[in-house]
Amino acid sequence: MTPPANRVFRFVNWRLRSDQDDDAPPVRLKFRCLTLTGDDTECGAESEALTDAQEAQRWTFQHLREYPDHTSYAEVIERPWVMWREGPA
């Protein structure tokens, strides 16, 4: 198959950057329990994703009250990113 004769290719440089525009989604975070259970699997319980860091951290204390030996956590951050066209390559 022969491509159309009038095909034009335009090459551009792209840059990935954190989206800090006014309409960008907010940064959200949650915590996940990393404590290993009796069968050597990760607990895996996690908080909901929130925009308030202190509110998300409160979940770890609540989880610890329910499970006193669960003392290891991971913070999971959801930060919006956007591809930005910088111009011709």
Side-chain angles (χ1 to χ4, degrees):
M1 176 182 248
T2 306
N6 295 341
R7 184 174 278 184
V8 176
F9 293 94
R10 185 173 145 209
F11 297 95
V12 296
N13 285 320
W14 290 92
R15 181 171 59 105
L16 180 64
R17 67 171 177 84
S18 62
D19 192 348
Q20 298 175 358
D21 295 339
D22 291 338
D23 63 345
V27 173
R28 299 182 330 152
L29 58 99
K30 62 183 175 181
F31 281 86
R32 185 177 78 241
C33 181
L34 300 176
T35 302
L36 297 179
T37 61
D39 60 355
D40 279 344
T41 59
E42 192 178 280
C43 168
E46 58 186 32
S47 69
E48 63 180 297
L50 301 165
T51 57
D52 183 319
Q54 287 182 330
E55 192 175 331
Q57 290 171 359
R58 276 191 213 108
W59 176 86
T60 63
F61 291 94
Q62 177 185 337
H63 189 70
L64 182 66
R65 280 192 294 277
E66 294 175 32
Y67 305 94
D69 57 336
H70 288 207
T71 58
S72 183
Y73 298 89
E75 179 183 34
V76 181
I77 300 172
E78 182 181 297
R79 183 179 320 278
W81 290 77
V82 64
M83 293 298 281
W84 193 257
R85 189 178 355 192
E86 292 193 316

